[in-house]
Amino acid sequence: MPAWYDSDRLYKCSVIVKQKGTQGGIDNISIDRYKLHLRRKLNKLSSQLRRGEYIPEPGRQIKLKKSDGGLRTICMTTIEDKIVQTAVKQEIEPLFEKEFLSCSYAYRPGRGHRKAIHNIDHYLSQKMHWITTCDIDNFFDSIDHTLLINQLQKKVKDNYVLSLIKMWLTIGAFSGDRYYENKQGVPQGGVISPLLSNIYLHPFDLEMRKRKAHYIRYADDFIVLEKTKTKAKQHYMFIEKYLQNQLHLQLNKVSEPVLHISDGFVFLGIHFQNTQKTIARKKLRKALNNIEKLFKQAIGRPFADTINQLNEKISSWLYYYGECENDVSFTVIQNKIFDRIAHYVSRMAEEGKLPERNYLQGNLNRLKLLVPLPPAQKQKIFKQVLSGKIKSVIKNASFKPEIQKSDSEYPPSKGAKREKTLTQAEIKRAVALKKRKYQRQFSLEYDLVLSSYGTFLGRHLQRLVVKQRNGKPKEFAVSKVKHVLVLNSSVTISSAAIYLCSKNNIPIDFLDYQGKPFARLAAPERPAWRFGLYQLKSLTNKKGMVLARAFVLGKIKNQINLMKYFSKYRKLRDKDFMVLFNQETALLKSYIDEIEKLENCVSLEKMRGSLLGIEGRAGAAYWKLVRGLIEDRIEFKKRERHGARDLFNSLLNYGYGILYSRVWGALMLAGLNVQISFLHCPQYEKPTLVYDAVEEFRAQVVDRVVISLITRGEKLAQNSKGYLTKESKDKLIENIFERLNTPIKFRKKQRTMQEIIQYQARAMGNYLKEGRPVYRPFIAKW
């Protein structure tokens, strides 16, 4: 048997993925697109797996409606990950199938819900009429990774397979541009997830066998049948305690955990009561709603396609509920189908779009029936349906649905050897790199940058259209754009594009060639300056002084933490810098002590003078440290804000311009007047509050990015006039956008830097309005 990662095995796995009609994942590559040059791709994939170098991609989260009205989170994996998961599943499933017990029916070859129902019938025939039905609360999302891996290690000896499973468990997923870590649970939607769920619950199956319980499990739903109520209740109490203590799972609470067969109970969508089995009410409602939905989507589509979709659903219902013989629910569903077809025909006739009768009759004859009908009755009903009016209804009749057979599985391959395995640290690093890759991608997707000469921004329906010279127009769905940044004076924007951005709260910022913001177009989302009066009052009370102090404290603390972040890589290899680091950070900490000991002055103006004096001294120490970090790569003499011609200052100034535009937008959205400031003296026609609020974020957004670009040795340059080249600007913008859109932990939650900027703007307004007792500056961890 060839190894599980052999290209021929992978090809057969790709066929299985194709047959399931699967969607693509975060890379937006569909199965049809992946099939192009398939053999070449699979050979490359096989080589990566053989060398132990394949790293999965993060998932893409989607929300699906549940029958109870709630939402289920599904994690869509890429086509390539589905192929690899299918191969791994085929490899390890036989190892566990040898151990799995007969009481487990879900997600197993040759098993299924029909056999579970047959077993329930058997127990009921043995007078076991006391039943406890249980299901686990949020099962897939509650699985403990450590316990699961421990179970896997008992059978799986291929360390790379174990590494892949660990990565699938921890890789996390994106919902839009928001990344969600996966510290516990198995992602629903993964090919291998059902098998992992059975492996996790196998110890529980063993315990129930030791108790000699008449126990049937289907995934996280299970049932125990006993002859006495006492015995059934004892089982329930054991189950609740065992799952909680041993597997860290909780049962969904029920008002009455033990029922008698005469009361009736529901299991696997079927209602059991005495000797009758019927479709559960929720499942019947869902079937009728699905028919309504199908016919709402049928308008404008070929009638043959509608019949094909109906036949698929009918085959599914016949297979799943085939044990409910003589159930009146089938006639209800069948009559609903006839009624909807008649309504469809009537509507098409009214609109003058009714196809030829022979076409309708031919396709109607292909319709599968839930309830077999005598030929004469069938033709009579079909005739009424085609007239657009259904008068007679069918009566229930018995039927025998076909039983589908499960596919066979591969036996595990033997003797497959890995060239290398991944350590836990390597797994963690690989997951982090994949996460970073897509965060970078999303940061560019959600920020539309217009920097080329002669660019035109227009509109087509609900999409922004970018046209450049000698290039094809590009369209961007308005739902995928959060911000438009204009970096060239020759860019033209249509009024239609401005209107679309305004309606969707997408600000448009204009920066000059040095990165300085000079204009902003934004919708009036909130009443302007709703905190303006409180800002004015704060100029003469202590609140203005508190804010001014917080801005400077936040700035210096973030400077210290940034230097700590960079110094951790130099502790062993750059002793000279560490001497400088210890010396200057001690100075910076002394300035923090000095600020904290400052007493409130007679006026904000005097407080402002003291704070700016300390800030200046702290800045000298901070920039001395920065110079020590980059002096072996680039020349940097001193910090210059206006008219800078050296590369490092030009990068900083351009980056600050981008940050200013984001802070400006956040303050306006929060309802703050950007011309009423506290740390910086208000100046006519200048947004000095932006200068205040930006202080908390300079080091951690812009300085960190620029220093990283320099120390990584990225190619950055200036033109003959001393301005940044377009390539350098684009690289800087890309990295700043990535930083702004990367989630970090803040106030006990994962938030992007952009969200933190908005959070701090609202916090400032609430503090001024006395909604909050204190204002805390943003302090980044290092």
Side-chain angles (χ1 to χ4, degrees):
M1 176 60 62
W4 64 269
Y5 48 81
D6 180 81
S7 59
D8 288 336
R9 287 277 295 268
L10 294 176
Y11 176 79
K12 292 177 181 178
C13 292
S14 73
V15 173
I16 295 172
V17 171
K18 168 69 174 176
Q19 289 172 343
K20 290 184 177 180
T22 183
Q23 297 183 38
I26 195 171
D27 58 1
N28 293 319
I29 296 177
S30 65
I31 184 65
D32 291 331
R33 181 178 167 190
Y34 189 83
K35 281 177 61 182
L36 299 174
H37 311 293
L38 179 62
R39 279 294 184 181
R40 188 173 66 189
K41 290 175 182 174
L42 293 179
N43 287 337
K44 179 181 177 182
L45 178 59
S46 175
S47 178
Q48 287 179 318
L49 291 168
R50 185 182 68 254
R51 297 194 304 268
E53 295 176 355
Y54 179 77
I55 306 297
E57 306 288 344
R60 176 170 62 89
Q61 283 189 3
I62 60 173
K63 303 286 186 180
L64 297 180
K65 285 187 178 180
K66 296 196 292 186
S67 57
D68 61 3
L71 293 174
R72 176 181 286 110
T73 300
I74 300 296
C75 183
M76 304 297 294
T77 55
T78 63
I79 298 299
E80 201 156 76
D81 274 335
K82 285 182 171 70
I83 293 171
V84 179
Q85 285 195 22
T86 303
V88 170
K89 175 178 176 288
Q90 290 181 347
E91 177 71 7
I92 70 173
E93 187 172 48
L95 304 174
F96 290 96
E97 271 297 320
K98 296 175 183 177
E99 305 295 327
F100 287 161
L101 304 184
S102 59
C103 57
S104 170
Y105 290 89
Y107 317 130
R108 295 183 60 191
R111 308 288 289 172
H113 76 286
R114 298 175 69 93
K115 290 188 176 181
I117 293 165
H118 287 160
N119 206 2
I120 292 174
D121 288 338
H122 170 71
Y123 286 142
L124 290 173
S125 69
Q126 301 296 313
K127 308 298 181 182
M128 297 176 188
H129 290 167
W130 289 99
I131 301 101
T132 177
T133 62
C134 312
D135 68 288
I136 300 169
D137 180 33
N138 204 23
F139 170 59
F140 278 87
D141 293 336
S142 302
I143 289 175
D144 186 298
H145 289 172
T146 302
L147 295 179
L148 176 58
I149 295 299
N150 288 342
Q151 285 292 106
L152 285 161
Q153 287 173 335
K154 294 176 182 178
K155 294 291 179 183
V156 179
K157 303 307 177 185
D158 187 329
N159 287 328
Y160 183 59
V161 168
L162 290 170
S163 296
L164 278 173
I165 294 173
K166 288 176 186 177
M167 286 189 280
W168 284 323
L169 292 174
T170 59
I171 193 70
F174 282 88
S175 177
D177 63 338
R178 174 68 67 84
Y179 175 78
Y180 292 91
E181 291 186 275
N182 195 39
K183 294 182 179 179
Q184 68 175 25
V186 172
Q188 291 192 63
V191 173
I192 202 168
S193 296
L195 173 60
L196 297 180
S197 72
N198 273 337
I199 293 170
Y200 192 76
L201 287 177
H202 179 61
F204 174 55
D205 295 343
L206 292 172
E207 287 297 322
M208 294 304 289
R209 185 175 67 174
K210 287 179 185 177
R211 292 178 61 84
K212 298 181 179 180
H214 304 102
Y215 157 78
I216 296 164
R217 180 174 67 80
Y218 194 91
D220 58 328
D221 294 326
F222 41 91
I223 183 173
V224 182
L225 300 94
E226 292 294 343
K227 290 185 177 181
T228 67
K229 183 176 183 179
T230 301
K231 189 71 173 175
K233 196 163 187 178
Q234 287 173 350
H235 284 314
Y236 180 84
M237 293 172 67
F238 168 80
I239 290 168
E240 190 174 37
K241 187 176 180 180
Y242 179 87
L243 291 177
Q244 183 175 348
N245 294 339
Q246 302 300 320
L247 297 179
H248 307 159
L249 301 172
Q250 299 283 344
L251 288 179
N252 277 312
K253 298 297 181 182
V254 290
S255 56
E256 181 50 64
V258 178
L259 298 168
H260 191 266
I261 184 61
S262 60
D263 300 320
F265 66 92
V266 174
F267 190 68
L268 301 182
I270 294 176
H271 183 264
F272 295 79
Q273 190 166 20
N274 294 323
T275 59
Q276 295 295 315
K277 295 194 295 291
T278 56
I279 301 175
R281 289 184 181 180
K282 283 186 179 180
K283 297 299 181 180
L284 176 59
R285 267 198 309 271
K286 183 179 179 181
L288 297 177
N289 288 338
N290 283 338
I291 294 169
E292 288 283 356
K293 184 178 179 181
L294 188 151
F295 278 94
K296 282 180 181 178
Q297 298 170 346
I299 303 301
R301 294 182 179 178
F303 184 62
D305 290 352
T306 301
I307 294 297
N308 291 338
Q309 290 178 318
L310 279 171
N311 283 342
E312 286 180 13
K313 290 189 177 295
I314 290 168
S315 295
S316 175
W317 291 326
L318 285 172
Y319 175 70
Y320 197 90
Y321 299 111
E323 298 300 312
C324 303
E325 295 185 12
N326 301 316
D327 183 2
V328 71
S329 300
F330 287 103
T331 60
V332 173
I333 297 173
Q334 188 68 73
N335 285 326
K336 179 74 171 181
I337 292 171
F338 287 149
D339 177 73
R340 290 295 85 195
I341 295 176
H343 179 77
Y344 170 87
V345 170
S346 176
R347 180 170 176 176
M348 290 295 97
E350 289 176 4
E351 296 178 359
K353 300 177 181 178
L354 188 66
E356 293 182 2
R357 186 177 181 85
N358 288 342
Y359 171 79
L360 291 172
Q361 182 72 58
N363 280 291
L364 191 57
N365 287 337
R366 294 193 300 109
L367 180 69
K368 292 183 179 180
L369 299 180
L370 282 161
V371 180
L373 297 174
Q377 185 183 3
K378 177 180 175 181
Q379 291 306 316
K380 179 182 178 181
I381 292 176
F382 279 12
K383 186 177 181 180
Q384 292 176 355
V385 167
L386 292 176
S387 71
K389 296 179 181 179
I390 181 74
K391 296 177 182 178
S392 59
V393 294
I394 58 175
K395 295 181 180 180
N396 196 29
S398 61
F399 61 95
K400 294 183 179 180
E402 297 179 0
I403 298 177
Q404 298 178 4
K405 297 181 180 180
S406 60
D407 297 329
S408 61
E409 299 290 335
Y410 274 107
S413 56
K414 297 180 180 180
K417 300 292 184 181
R418 302 262 55 76
E419 293 184 11
K420 72 171 185 177
T421 58
L422 296 178
T423 65
Q424 193 63 35
E426 288 173 328
I427 290 172
K428 189 175 181 181
R429 192 180 307 116
V431 168
L433 286 173
K434 288 291 185 178
K435 168 185 168 183
R436 179 183 172 86
K437 168 189 171 183
Y438 285 97
Q439 284 173 336
R440 180 184 290 266
Q441 176 181 314
F442 287 128
S443 69
L444 296 177
E445 181 179 354
Y446 285 82
D447 289 274
L448 188 56
V449 181
L450 309 177
S451 60
S452 299
Y453 180 83
T455 299
F456 172 77
L457 179 66
R459 171 189 178 180
H460 176 66
L461 301 176
Q462 292 299 304
R463 304 178 78 83
L464 292 170
V465 182
V466 177
K467 296 180 181 179
Q468 294 178 327
R469 293 187 173 186
N470 303 322
K472 292 183 179 180
K474 295 181 180 179
E475 294 190 2
F476 301 86
V478 73
S479 60
K480 291 289 186 74
V481 179
K482 291 183 179 178
H483 183 238
V484 177
L485 195 61
V486 181
L487 306 177
N488 196 305
S489 59
S490 69
V491 171
T492 305
I493 305 177
S494 72
S495 58
I498 293 173
Y499 178 82
L500 186 62
C501 289
S502 174
K503 285 294 181 182
N504 289 275
N505 293 326
I506 301 171
I508 305 174
D509 283 308
F510 297 80
L511 275 63
D512 65 15
Y513 56 89
Q514 291 182 314
K516 182 180 178 182
F518 64 86
R520 159 174 274 242
L521 297 176
E525 304 96 336
R526 305 276 181 91
W529 321 142
R530 64 192 182 108
F531 292 116
L533 180 60
Y534 301 104
Q535 287 177 258
L536 288 172
K537 288 181 179 179
S538 298
L539 295 176
T540 56
N541 63 29
K542 294 180 181 180
K543 287 201 168 186
M545 298 183 196
V546 170
L547 286 174
R549 188 198 304 260
F551 296 145
V552 180
L553 280 173
K555 178 177 183 177
I556 298 174
K557 288 181 179 181
N558 279 318
Q559 289 174 337
I560 293 174
N561 286 349
L562 183 63
M563 290 300 103
K564 287 180 178 180
Y565 169 77
F566 283 111
S567 68
K568 66 184 179 182
Y569 301 108
R570 294 174 174 251
K571 286 182 179 179
L572 298 177
R573 61 183 177 86
D574 193 343
K575 293 182 179 179
D576 291 340
F577 175 79
M578 292 311 299
V579 172
L580 180 67
F581 171 80
N582 292 329
Q583 173 186 314
E584 299 304 321
T585 51
L587 264 180
L588 289 170
K589 290 175 182 178
S590 70
Y591 297 140
I592 290 175
D593 293 338
E594 191 175 339
I595 292 171
E596 290 176 340
K597 291 175 182 177
L598 270 179
E599 295 182 2
N600 286 330
C601 301
V602 178
S603 66
L604 176 60
E605 186 176 354
K606 287 189 176 182
M607 171 67 82
R608 184 183 291 138
S610 299
L611 289 171
L612 290 175
I614 298 171
E615 183 198 30
R617 285 180 278 144
Y622 171 69
W623 292 114
K624 190 174 181 180
L625 278 170
V626 172
R627 186 162 57 250
L629 279 173
I630 64 173
E631 61 185 355
D632 59 337
R633 291 188 175 271
I634 192 173
E635 184 179 357
F636 172 53
K637 294 180 180 179
K638 64 176 182 177
R639 176 75 186 105
E640 292 185 20
R641 291 169 176 78
H642 303 290
R645 286 293 183 267
D646 66 288
L647 179 59
F648 190 69
N649 276 304
S650 296
L651 289 166
L652 288 175
N653 291 341
Y654 206 91
Y656 291 149
I658 298 170
L659 180 60
Y660 286 152
S661 68
R662 294 305 179 91
V663 173
W664 194 337
L667 294 172
M668 290 178 64
L669 191 62
L672 290 155
N673 189 326
V674 295
Q675 293 182 318
I676 303 175
S677 53
F678 308 102
L679 177 61
H680 294 84
C681 185
Q683 300 177 54
Y684 179 65
E685 292 186 344
K686 289 193 175 182
T688 48
L689 186 62
V690 178
Y691 307 158
D692 283 2
V694 83
E695 299 293 4
E696 298 177 24
F697 300 98
R698 285 179 187 270
Q700 293 294 333
V701 175
V702 179
D703 298 0
R704 174 169 166 162
V705 166
V706 174
I707 294 170
S708 295
L709 288 172
I710 297 296
T711 55
R712 290 203 307 261
E714 297 281 355
K715 291 184 179 181
L716 302 162
Q718 296 168 282
N719 59 26
S720 57
K721 295 182 180 179
Y723 302 135
L724 295 174
T725 62
K726 183 181 182 302
E727 294 74 20
S728 297
K729 289 179 183 178
D730 290 345
K731 189 169 292 184
L732 176 63
I733 291 166
E734 177 184 337
N735 281 270
I736 287 180
F737 282 173
E738 180 187 354
R739 179 64 177 156
L740 286 168
N741 289 282
T742 298
I744 62 173
K745 195 167 184 179
F746 176 73
R747 304 285 194 265
K748 298 181 180 181
K749 289 185 178 181
Q750 290 289 324
R751 293 183 170 97
T752 66
M753 196 67 76
Q754 182 61 56
E755 290 170 334
I756 294 169
I757 292 171
Q758 189 64 63
Y759 180 98
Q760 289 298 95
R762 290 194 300 268
M764 191 191 309
N766 290 332
Y767 171 69
L768 291 169
K769 194 182 176 182
E770 301 180 352
R772 290 188 179 183
V774 68
Y775 174 82
R776 291 187 292 163
F778 160 71
I779 309 293
K781 298 184 185 299
W782 63 276

